[in-house]
Amino acid sequence: MSGHMSPEEFRKFGRQVVDWIADYYAGVEEHPVRSRVPPGEIRAQLPAHPPERGESFERVLSDLDAVLMPGVTHWQHPNFFAYFPANATGPAILGDLLSSGLGVQGMVWATSPACTELETVVVDWMAELLGLPEHFRTDAVGGGVIQDSASSAALVACLAALQRESGGGIASQGITRRHPLYISAHTHSSLERAARMVGVGADNLRVVDVDPDTLGMDPKHLDALIVEDLAAGAVPTLACATIGTTSTTAIDPVREVGEVCRARGVWLHVDAAYAGVAAVCPELRWINDGVAEFADSYCTNAHKWLLTNFDCSLLWMADRQPMIDALSILPEYLRNPATASGEVIDYRDWQVPLGRRFRALKLWSVLRWYGAAGLRTHIRTTVGLAQEFADWVRDDPRFAVLEPHPLGLVCFRPLFPELSIDEANDRTYRLMESLNDSGQLYLTHTKVDGRTLLRFAVGSPQTERRHVLAAWQRIQGALG
Ligand SMILES: *Cc1c(COP(=O)(O)O)cnc(C)c1O
């Protein structure tokens, strides 16, 4: 095994791999959901040094089974209710495989026109499917792009906002003034990392209060902080409103936050990483209220809940120019007539890395396989299961549910009325760990107002009502 894999060998092993994956899905329920290996166990079973001579591909597959599989947590398991879903589906896997097969680098239009143009088509399709505003479409001044993650999307939004709010200076002089960014305590940590990376610094993150009932950002406090910063000579730059926070799927009042941003000249980034895709269902489009009027940038992940393998995060700009001004650069080796003509999109100007995969293929494959109707069915089915779960929890007087929970996540806790808050938190955590250790289901936790809550996220295409019911019965059983 020292030469390249021939097309005939690839055909043979490729079939084995596809069979392996199909068998995996057919039997995924047999695995404990969360891996039970202790730290270092997998590494200790692997050779410390790379092979000098090539080996057969069969040996890779057999080590996958024997060595690696015990260390895999099964995100596609029907009893995976932890974090948020990370959907993987047949059409997405196959689209991704085709992308790998083509091995294209799509950094500029000229390096593979189809890679760019298909991406433009699918992000415009997605804008239409989600009911997003016309000005997000690429044929207007805005436009969409596929990023690797919502974290990268936030970084790009911060760069574009800095470019605009600094009067165009950051691409040349860097940051010369103080540029506060506005978040809430429930904003995703990627905003703090973006603040560090763009050089604003975490000290310039202003944490806006939230409404204690809805956990949504308080627009009056946002305005007060902006006014304070303006008076101190700072340049208020970007506010991040979240639609569906990671902790509890709380929804910031985007319209009111947007009105403040508009009045004060602050960029509004909307992070709808998990929840945004729910807008494929017209009855759930209320979550995006205010986005059309006020969002300068908007992000949602197809790679969480929309049946598309990681990585596939969608970012739209209301006006793409500040982003391009912040990131565009043209080294001699990338000069080409298409770029010079200004008639094409070069997506390297829309992201942090230069190189980019042909990610549009997997999303295109998903959109064509499911159609809009299939996507809506997936969202409705999983939201319905989560709502049914919440009803069961509410009906058991030993538990309390955190309201509201309009999407696929339900946060709840056992009451333990006889215990102090600290003791109840500890018991809740231990209850969760015992369930997770059982391998029969997997859920995670969060903390709101000092109380530990269990998070139950329904979103896998493998999950059926019977799984949710069995999980609930196990949770009840664990309480004794
Ligand atoms: C998951 C999540 C993110 C991060 O998504 P990545 O694509 O993993 O970077 C950001 N914001 C929210 C609200 C999320 O739920």
Side-chain angles (χ1 to χ4, degrees):
M1 299 301 135
S2 49
H4 298 302
M5 191 181 275
S6 69
E8 280 317 310
E9 287 168 316
F10 181 79
R11 197 184 304 283
K12 175 179 155 203
F13 296 125
R15 288 189 170 131
Q16 286 180 20
V17 166
V18 170
D19 281 343
W20 189 98
I21 297 172
D23 290 342
Y24 174 66
Y25 277 87
V28 68
E29 218 168 314
E30 310 307 317
H31 297 278
V33 189
R34 185 172 76 169
S35 168
R36 294 167 168 153
V37 298
E41 181 164 307
I42 301 297
R43 189 174 170 188
Q45 291 179 70
L46 293 165
H49 304 287
E52 173 61 25
R53 292 186 186 284
E55 302 173 59
S56 132
F57 190 77
E58 270 125 357
R59 297 196 53 190
V60 172
L61 281 181
S62 70
D63 281 348
L64 171 63
D65 284 323
V67 180
L68 298 184
M69 285 307 275
V72 170
T73 289
H74 299 281
W75 284 69
Q76 306 310 317
H77 198 295
N79 296 332
F80 184 97
F81 304 107
Y83 307 103
F84 279 136
N87 289 174
T89 64
I93 295 166
L94 295 176
D96 220 5
L97 183 59
L98 290 170
S99 163
S100 294
L102 290 173
V104 156
Q105 265 292 355
M107 47 214 173
V108 294
W109 180 90
T111 59
S112 205
C115 178
T116 293
E117 295 193 14
L118 182 66
E119 184 158 332
T120 304
V121 168
V122 295
V123 291
D124 282 354
W125 279 7
M126 283 301 303
E128 179 180 324
L129 283 170
L130 301 177
L132 293 172
E134 286 287 318
H135 59 259
F136 280 8
R137 294 177 56 91
T138 316
D139 42 21
V141 292
V145 57
I146 304 178
Q147 303 275 334
D148 56 358
S149 65
S151 306
S152 293
L155 178 56
V156 169
C158 286
L159 289 166
L162 277 168
Q163 180 69 17
R164 192 179 80 181
E165 305 308 332
S166 68
I170 69 135
S172 46
Q173 299 130 39
I175 293 174
T176 53
R177 298 179 63 189
R178 199 157 74 73
H179 284 274
L181 312 179
Y182 304 85
I183 60 171
S184 86
H186 295 267
T187 304
H188 191 264
S189 53
S190 52
L191 265 292
E192 175 167 347
R193 299 177 87 197
R196 295 189 202 174
M197 287 187 277
V198 300
V200 159
D203 287 353
N204 277 310
L205 277 176
R206 300 285 261 151
V207 182
V208 182
D209 292 343
V210 297
D211 177 304
D213 294 324
T214 65
L215 304 180
M217 185 181 276
D218 173 3
K220 290 204 181 66
H221 189 227
L222 170 66
D223 195 49
L225 290 178
I226 293 174
V227 168
E228 204 176 285
D229 288 336
L230 283 169
V235 188
T237 295
L238 172 144
C240 177
T242 307
I243 295 175
T245 58
T246 315
S247 173
T248 66
T249 65
I251 296 176
D252 288 332
V254 173
R255 179 173 297 281
E256 288 77 16
V257 167
E259 280 163 359
V260 171
C261 289
R262 179 68 47 83
R264 302 289 178 195
V266 171
W267 183 289
L268 175 62
H269 177 62
V270 176
D271 176 6
Y274 159 73
V277 298
V280 293
C281 300
E283 72 275 17
L284 290 171
R285 285 203 186 141
W286 60 266
I287 63 173
N288 281 335
D289 179 52
V291 167
E293 294 86 342
F294 296 106
D296 292 294
S297 49
Y298 178 94
C299 169
T300 187
N301 286 345
H303 66 231
K304 275 179 170 158
W305 196 9
L306 204 69
L307 302 165
T308 307
N309 290 55
F310 190 85
D311 51 351
C312 192
S313 180
L314 302 159
L315 171 67
W316 285 276
M317 293 279 161
D319 175 1
R320 61 183 179 249
Q321 204 54 47
M323 166 185 66
I324 291 172
D325 291 343
L327 290 171
S328 181
I329 201 156
L330 187 60
E332 183 56 35
Y333 49 81
L334 287 178
R335 278 185 200 280
N336 68 87
T339 296
S341 77
E343 281 171 35
V344 300
I345 290 177
D346 289 329
Y347 279 124
R348 56 110 207 259
D349 297 339
W350 301 48
Q351 63 174 21
V352 173
L354 170 63
R356 59 202 324 272
R357 311 172 55 216
F358 198 163
R359 292 193 194 92
L361 261 181
K362 68 185 163 196
L363 184 55
W364 190 52
S365 174
V366 166
L367 295 178
R368 296 186 68 180
W369 176 267
Y370 285 96
L375 302 178
R376 287 194 288 265
T377 300
H378 171 61
I379 298 292
R380 282 181 187 138
T381 303
T382 47
V383 170
L385 291 173
Q387 299 310 311
E388 210 171 349
F389 177 83
D391 290 342
W392 295 331
V393 181
R394 206 182 293 106
D395 286 348
D396 186 329
R398 298 172 301 162
F399 290 87
V401 176
L402 180 79
E403 307 284 356
H405 44 74
L407 302 167
L409 175 75
V410 180
C411 297
F412 68 104
R413 65 187 170 90
L415 284 172
F416 298 123
E418 72 284 7
L419 301 183
S420 72
I421 292 184
D422 283 350
E423 287 166 342
N425 285 349
D426 188 50
R427 282 282 292 278
T428 304
Y429 192 84
R430 282 192 280 130
L431 177 92
M432 175 184 82
E433 281 300 287
S434 73
L435 287 162
N436 292 344
D437 284 343
S438 79
Q440 290 174 316
L441 75 164
Y442 186 14
L443 57 167
T444 49
H445 75 289
T446 187
K447 218 167 203 181
V448 174
D449 285 337
R451 295 203 184 264
T452 298
L453 301 180
L454 301 178
R455 296 172 74 268
F456 191 88
V458 186
S460 163
Q462 334 294 332
T463 303
E464 299 168 22
R465 186 174 184 277
R466 66 187 168 93
H467 299 110
V468 177
L469 182 58
W472 170 233
Q473 288 166 346
R474 286 189 177 112
I475 293 165
Q476 285 180 306
L479 195 56

